[in-house]
């Protein structure tokens, strides 16, 4: 099967997430990276392109130049991966969407609501697909949990507990030359949310993906423990659902001993489920009144929803990179279907897209609004 010609905006040689996306795009063999505008500085963009082995003629100094040039080529890119800081997402996506080039964009959707609204209009006006890489939805046991909830394994949803603690910003790393911290603590580049936008949106999206429900009200307490930080590095959020369910979300980047502790627990009237990102091959299921059961990736009890995105036998670790790869593979399937003339609305399947991005932006805004009003209840 012919590989999809892929371009990349951002993700130069010193950028963590760019490397992740490149690896993920290669795992299942669906893409060839053939072009890039890999840095906001033309000289660094060229150097990064050379380091990655790109044709110098297709290593561009800006994403505007790249979109125009690639759209004019018979062998131009068919999709572009956008892995820049948040404030560049819309500006980078727009010229590609306008030229019918499919967009695979890192989360969150944008830095501001104005850009989110503009992105919504640009996607609606384009024939191209827009995919948002909420990668945790790609884990096999997350797909299993979603399948079990939809199948009634826990009954009517009652409680949602989701958390995402890290510790990498416990110190003042933004003033120590840590690039990832510098832009994440800058409202102009990150947006109105700090930890709540960076990792809180992952927790929010994971809970919504598995349960099939998005809360309609919340009360949030956002706080910055880092001296002088303009954005939150810790957040506690209470959630209320239209169905009557209740939830709590905690995210933090100042919790010593926590590396990447994304964890989801959900409870219904007849059972509960638990999944933790640091042990992603296990899903714990407890039918009420019965012993807890451990379901393993590609093991006994795993459903087709999980097995279809598992690559290796049970007992072999499969995780972060493979979850990203699942989204890239499903994006490839959707892109090929679109090239075959199928309507956009029928293509997305499990893939997070514009709707998930808009939900995340509404969540950030509601959290910021609530916290400014002393954790008042607000509508999302």
């Amino acid at each position: 099967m012919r590989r999809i010609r892929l371009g990349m905006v951002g993700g130069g040689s010193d950028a963590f997430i760019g490397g992740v996306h490149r690896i993920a795009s290669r795992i299942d063999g669906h893409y060839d990276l053939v072009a890039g505008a890999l840095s906001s500085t033309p000289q660094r963009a060229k150097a990064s392109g050379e380091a990655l082995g790109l044709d110098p003629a297709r290593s561009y100094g800006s994403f505007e130049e790249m979109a125009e040039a690639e759209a004019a080529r018979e062998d131009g890119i068919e999709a572009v991966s956008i892995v820049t800081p948040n404030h560049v997402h819309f500006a980078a996506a727009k010229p590609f969407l306008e030229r019918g080039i499919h967009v695979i964009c890192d989360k969150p959707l944008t830095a501001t609501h104005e850009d989110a609204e503009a992105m919504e209009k640009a996607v609606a006006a384009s024939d191209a697909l827009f995919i948002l890489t909420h990668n945790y939805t790609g884990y096999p046991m997350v797909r299993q949990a979603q399948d079990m909830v939809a199948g009634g394994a826990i009954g009517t949803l009652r409680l949602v507990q989701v958390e995402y603690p890290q510790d990498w910003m416990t110190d003042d790393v933004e003033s120590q030359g840590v690039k990832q911290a510098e832009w994440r603590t800058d409202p102009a580049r990150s947006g109105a949310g700090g930890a709540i936008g960076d990792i809180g949106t992952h927790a929010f999206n994971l809970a919504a993906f598995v349960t099939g429900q998005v809360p309609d009200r919340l009360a949030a307490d956002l706080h910055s423990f880092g001296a002088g930080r303009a954005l939150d590095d810790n957040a506690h959020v209470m959630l209320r659902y239209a169905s009557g369910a209740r939830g709590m979300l905690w995210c933090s980047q100042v919790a010593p001993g926590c590396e990447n502790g994304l964890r989801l627990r959900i409870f219904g009237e007849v059972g509960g489920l638990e999944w933790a990102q640091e042990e992603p091959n296990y899903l714990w299921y407890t039918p009420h009144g019965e012993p807890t059961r451990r379901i393993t990736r590609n093991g006994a009890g795993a459903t087709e929803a999980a097995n279809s995105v598992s690559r290796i036998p049970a007992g072999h670790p499969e995780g972060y990179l493979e979850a990203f790869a699942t989204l890239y593979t499903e994006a490839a399937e959707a892109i090929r279907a679109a090239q075959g003339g199928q309507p956009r609305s029928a293509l997305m399947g499990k893939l997070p897209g514009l709707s998930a991005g808009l939900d995340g932006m509404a969540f950030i805004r509601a959290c910021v609004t609530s916290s400014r009003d002393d954790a008042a209840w607000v509508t999302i």
Side-chain angles (χ1 to χ4, degrees), residues 155-230:
T156 301
L157 181 68
R158 289 178 172 175
L159 303 172
V160 176
Q161 293 282 132
V162 62
E163 64 183 51
Y164 198 161
Q166 300 174 334
D167 66 1
W168 71 286
M169 293 180 67
T170 299
D171 297 323
D172 182 20
V173 289
E174 60 268 34
S175 65
Q176 299 170 16
V178 179
K179 182 178 178 180
Q180 297 299 318
E182 288 175 359
W183 73 260
R184 280 176 168 83
T185 55
D186 178 6
R189 290 180 284 175
S190 184
I196 200 70
D198 188 25
I199 57 176
T201 50
H202 268 312
F204 180 79
N205 175 261
L206 177 66
F209 183 83
V210 172
T211 65
Q213 297 187 35
V214 176
D216 59 355
R217 301 189 72 212
L218 62 75
D221 179 19
L222 310 185
H223 188 71
S224 176
F225 287 97
R229 280 184 186 153

Side-chain angles (χ1 to χ4, degrees), residues 217-255:
R217 301 189 72 212
L218 62 75
D221 179 19
L222 310 185
H223 188 71
S224 176
F225 287 97
R229 280 184 186 153
L231 296 175
D232 61 278
D233 52 30
N234 188 87
H236 294 88
V237 186
M238 291 193 294
L239 307 169
R240 290 180 181 172
Y241 295 78
S243 66
R246 295 292 190 267
M248 293 180 65
L249 182 153
W250 169 50
C251 66
S252 181
Q253 291 172 319
V254 292

